Amino acid sequence: MRPRAMAASLVLAVTSAMATPTPVVPVVPVVAPAPGSGFASSLNAASNSAPAEASAEASAARPPQAVAGCDPIAGAQCLLPFPNDWFTANARTGTGVRVNLSADAMPRNASGVPIDPARWNEADGFSPGSVLLAHVPGVDLARSGAAPVTDIGWSLRRDAPIVIVDTATGERWPYWAELDAGAADPARRALIVRPARNFTEGHRYAVALRGLKDAEGGALPASETFTRLAGEELLADDPLAGRQHALRRTLADLATAGVDARGLVLAWDFTVADERGIAGSALSMRDQTLRALKGGSPRFTVDSVTDLTPGQDADIAREVAGEILVPNYLDKPGGPPGASLNRGRDGLPRPLGDTLRARYQCEIPRSAFKRPAQPALYGHGMLGRATEVRARDVRAMAGQQGFVFCATTWIGMSEEDSQHLAGVFGDLSRFGTVPDRLQQSLLNFVLLGRAMVGRDGFAGDKAFRNDRGRPLIDTRADLAYDGDSRGAVAGGALVAVSPDVRNAVLGAPGMNHSMLLERGVGFRPFQRIMESSYPDGLTRQVCFALIQMLWDRAETGGYAQHLTDDPLPGSPRHRVLLHIAFGDHRVSTVTAEVEARTVGARIHQPAVAPGRNRDVTPYWGIRALPPRPYAGSALVVWDSAAPAPPVGDTPPPGPPYGGDPHQDPRQDPRDDPEARAQKAHFLKEGVVVDVCGGAPCVADPAERS
């Protein structure tokens, strides 16, 4: 979304959401000795009667009754460590488990309302983009020698204080660790461990914290509870016996990877959801709908056709707008903001019975009237709408490079969703409505693409033909996708599920909202609501981790494993070009680096001028592009002299910190002719060409067209 329109939309939503102050209720740590998992469900009753040790402060605030469903290994803090297989039950799923979060254990907002775990408990594991959370009061990560974001390679050394092991392969997983910069109370600051590439679907991971130190360099001891669990075998009637049994498997996996149980401060394991658990709903909607179409185009309307003179627009000759008719898989007629997927008894989406009318806007270049142009979908930005396809840089790309761009709206994260989103961040029980509506968006885009490439689609309508009756869209060419900002963050999911897109450019990309939100200035209005509703810093980090599990269904992070060489059923292999702006204020570039590692993209080198990137090994783990045109996925950094981004989980400060290359047309690579030429070549051929002469790519305002 263009900055002024987005700002106005956010102000209206936030002002309305915060018009009635929510009474602030102190967040009370809960003491929960009761196992809440399938590994030891028979011990619940015994555990409820034997509270674990807690600090004096927590004990003073302890509720009258201990809360079931928390992990006794973490002492007084519920839902930590997270993600955690203690919060699962054995089940007949692809992973063998199902998430089993206790309602009493879920975070509460300032009005005392707990998050309803029902949507989370449908999952067969945790997010592949999971942020790992623990509460280790007094830890000093620098003194401990934990790997920071500026030195990811440090995380894999043999004596690293934090270890993540893929139990299926024995592979050590790269990460970086940080303390929550947004926590007001140092005593309630989360230890955050972020994967440097997403975890593998369906795999189980063991985590170890060891040799942690405080600010004076003193060793932090393990809790009394963890010491007991890691020690001698407990009696069968001990309330902690079930938890010890589960921990034994974790410790065995760590030992196999060379991690000794001696010196551990904390250890746990977690299972990642599988392909069906994440993408099953979107694929079911796609397949049901395409089967009904029998290979044909969806129905559509043409509501307006606007022919432009060269004086009005040198690049675009015609604009066409109308509606694509799409089955509504949401549970309210018309699928308005706040609707959820309409699910059958098998848990999969079913059509409600009405038709959703998805607005579209198409931009047809002048060149198409001489030679049919390649069809391409365009994905708009945060809280935007389909008409952003009319932006100057998109029109220039269409006219100068020979594309017909068509767009529809990302319902779920569009302008009309602003008010609903503001309310959601005040009560996260409703969060599932956001990815549900976004999954309907994925279907809307798939059908818009099918209308563009089908012979019985747009090409058969006079609005998409020249005065001699010839089609303006080349239906023999592959469908391409070009998305910016939100269009890149959600666009990766679309590309993965699309049966027609082959090559895609994701501009200002990133993934995993649990990492994206706090690092971008665009989240600040909603951050205010969330901080008011969930005032405790540690609780908020748990909330971010929880919402990632649902957001996976409709963002790149949930589909990244299938974005390139391991396609989803019914989808082709894809090639993706990631264009990032160094120092982006809205979509942190470190999230794009995680994406590049996950999808196996290579990077244009030299990426930036010496000294610009503060990392010990800039772009660690991403191989360089070969010195020739490359037929594959790639990451290209465009530098417009913006300041380097902060290294913590915080957004860049406001002016005079420096211009934002995400939204400043003088800095944004979307408006650089060489960047557009590179994009066009990739979308047409799937080949990365060096347009920067073997040097770092610079978005130069002096060369703007």
Side-chain angles (χ1 to χ4, degrees):
M1 187 177 188
R2 303 297 152 176
R4 290 184 181 177
M6 184 175 74
S9 179
L10 287 175
V11 168
L12 177 63
V14 173
T15 301
S16 176
M18 301 190 73
T20 304
T22 304
V24 176
V25 177
V27 176
V28 179
V30 290
V31 180
S37 76
F39 294 117
S41 57
S42 63
L43 298 176
N44 278 349
S47 298
N48 281 335
S49 64
E53 293 294 324
S55 67
E57 179 182 351
S59 297
R62 184 180 301 160
Q65 232 177 346
V67 178
C70 297
D71 187 349
I73 206 169
Q77 181 58 45
C78 233
L79 288 196
L80 290 181
F82 193 89
N84 185 347
D85 270 356
W86 191 249
F87 309 134
T88 65
N90 295 323
R92 293 181 179 178
T93 63
T95 62
V97 301
R98 190 171 297 284
V99 174
N100 185 31
L101 297 170
S102 162
D104 289 336
M106 295 293 279
R108 297 174 181 267
N109 66 10
S111 297
V113 180
I115 298 174
D116 183 348
R119 292 299 305 275
W120 284 267
N121 288 344
E122 297 168 358
D124 65 351
F126 299 94
S127 170
S130 285
V131 54
L132 311 188
L133 300 176
H135 186 218
V136 187
V139 66
D140 187 298
L141 294 180
R143 285 278 196 172
S144 300
V149 68
T150 53
D151 193 3
I152 291 171
W154 193 252
S155 68
L156 297 181
R157 74 186 197 280
R158 289 188 59 83
D159 62 344
I162 301 171
V163 180
I164 306 173
V165 176
D166 183 329
T167 63
T169 65
E171 179 185 8
R172 291 270 294 270
W173 210 259
Y175 64 84
W176 73 88
E178 57 196 14
L179 295 176
D180 179 15
D185 181 0
R188 301 288 294 165
R189 182 169 291 147
L191 167 59
I192 305 171
V193 182
R194 302 188 188 275
R197 71 174 185 268
N198 271 17
F199 299 112
T200 303
E201 291 173 351
H203 284 215
R204 187 173 61 85
Y205 292 82
V207 186
L209 308 184
R210 59 184 181 176
L212 299 181
K213 294 180 171 58
D214 61 22
E216 285 71 45
L220 290 174
S223 69
E224 180 181 340
T225 299
F226 183 77
T227 300
R228 286 191 66 205
L229 292 170
E232 295 182 2
E233 185 173 357
L234 301 174
L235 296 176
D237 61 351
D238 191 299
L240 293 177
R243 186 62 182 98
Q244 186 182 62
H245 176 72
L247 181 62
R248 286 284 191 260
R249 181 173 70 156
T250 308
L251 297 180
D253 290 322
L254 290 169
T256 300
V259 181
D260 197 316
R262 291 172 297 182
L264 289 180
V265 174
L266 189 62
W268 74 96
D269 62 358
F270 65 95
T271 299
V272 179
D274 68 4
E275 173 189 300
R276 182 176 180 182
I278 296 170
S281 290
L283 292 178
S284 176
M285 294 161 63
R286 180 200 69 181
D287 293 345
Q288 289 180 66
T289 303
L290 294 183
R291 278 197 300 269
L293 291 176
K294 298 179 179 180
S297 167
R299 292 183 298 145
F300 62 90
T301 67
V302 173
D303 299 340
S304 68
V305 178
T306 305
D307 288 318
L308 304 171
T309 67
Q312 291 173 309
D313 194 307
D315 294 308
I316 301 301
R318 179 175 293 174
E319 297 181 320
V320 182
E323 295 177 332
I324 297 287
L325 307 185
V326 186
N328 178 23
Y329 283 84
L330 297 167
D331 62 0
K332 296 179 182 177
S340 297
L341 286 176
N342 182 53
R343 298 181 182 274
R345 290 184 177 180
D346 59 359
L348 293 174
R350 292 288 180 264
L352 186 63
D354 66 320
T355 299
L356 191 151
R357 307 179 75 89
R359 294 291 306 173
Y360 71 84
Q361 173 85 25
C362 294
E363 302 295 305
I364 304 175
R366 298 196 175 280
S367 60
F369 284 79
K370 297 180 180 179
R371 180 180 180 180
Q374 180 164 351
L377 293 169
Y378 176 74
H380 66 73
M382 174 78 167
L383 299 182
R385 50 188 174 181
T387 52
E388 285 183 28
V389 73
R390 302 185 70 245
R392 182 170 63 89
D393 57 279
V394 184
R395 298 199 315 269
M397 176 79 171
Q400 296 165 18
Q401 304 296 340
F403 290 94
V404 172
F405 279 111
C406 294
T408 188
T409 298
W410 285 113
I411 64 170
M413 288 292 288
S414 68
E415 185 177 45
E416 69 180 15
D417 293 287
S418 300
Q419 186 69 48
H420 177 68
L421 283 168
V424 162
F425 282 102
D427 180 7
L428 291 173
S429 291
R430 298 189 287 158
F431 183 79
T433 59
V434 176
D436 277 8
R437 202 158 183 258
L438 279 167
Q439 287 175 87
Q440 177 74 50
S441 271
L442 297 180
L443 180 63
N444 297 353
F445 269 95
V446 166
L447 293 197
L448 175 58
R450 185 54 61 93
M452 294 185 74
V453 299
R455 293 183 180 275
D456 60 341
F458 287 166
D461 191 281
K462 64 181 180 180
F464 293 90
R465 290 178 173 264
N466 64 18
D467 54 7
R468 291 176 292 179
R470 294 181 178 178
L472 301 172
I473 300 177
D474 184 357
T475 57
R476 296 170 299 178
D478 288 331
L479 180 67
Y481 177 79
D482 187 2
D484 293 315
S485 189
R486 166 55 47 187
V489 175
L494 169 63
V495 173
V497 303
S498 172
D500 300 311
V501 171
R502 298 279 181 169
N503 302 322
V505 174
L506 305 180
M511 67 182 198
N512 300 330
H513 281 79
S514 57
M515 177 168 51
L516 276 167
L517 294 180
E518 289 188 295
R519 280 177 152 83
V521 298
F523 184 62
R524 279 175 175 164
F526 297 114
Q527 181 88 13
R528 290 173 51 204
I529 298 172
M530 197 169 177
E531 288 175 352
S532 176
S533 299
Y534 299 91
D536 176 61
L538 195 55
T539 299
R540 279 198 307 277
Q541 290 304 321
V542 173
C543 291
F544 283 129
L546 286 169
I547 64 177
Q548 182 64 56
M549 293 173 62
L550 301 189
W551 224 325
D552 279 344
R553 278 78 173 149
E555 72 126 301
T556 299
Y559 294 79
Q561 185 173 324
H562 305 288
L563 191 48
T564 52
D565 295 333
D566 180 19
L568 290 167
S571 295
R573 289 188 176 187
H574 307 98
R575 294 173 180 170
V576 295
L577 173 61
L578 309 177
H579 264 194
I580 69 174
F582 186 84
D584 194 313
H585 287 204
R586 294 180 177 270
V587 184
S588 172
T589 54
V590 72
T591 69
E593 294 170 36
V594 174
E595 183 173 345
R597 294 186 197 98
T598 305
V599 305
R602 293 193 174 197
I603 187 169
H604 168 78
Q605 291 283 17
V608 292
R612 286 288 281 151
N613 190 304
R614 294 178 288 197
D615 292 357
V616 172
T617 304
Y619 308 104
W620 179 91
I622 307 174
R623 291 189 298 164
L625 284 167
R628 61 182 184 276
Y630 174 67
S633 298
L635 169 68
V636 179
V637 181
W638 289 84
D639 193 352
S640 57
V647 296
D649 63 331
T650 184
Y657 184 76
D660 180 3
H662 188 102
Q663 66 179 31
D664 188 338
R666 297 171 301 170
Q667 298 178 306
D668 196 325
R670 288 175 290 187
D671 205 32
D672 186 281
E674 291 178 342
R676 289 202 298 265
Q678 185 180 62
K679 287 170 53 174
H681 198 95
F682 186 84
L683 290 175
K684 292 178 179 180
E685 306 293 337
V687 173
V688 185
V689 294
D690 182 5
V691 296
C692 304
C697 291
V698 176
D700 188 351
E703 296 182 1
R704 300 301 157 126
S705 59

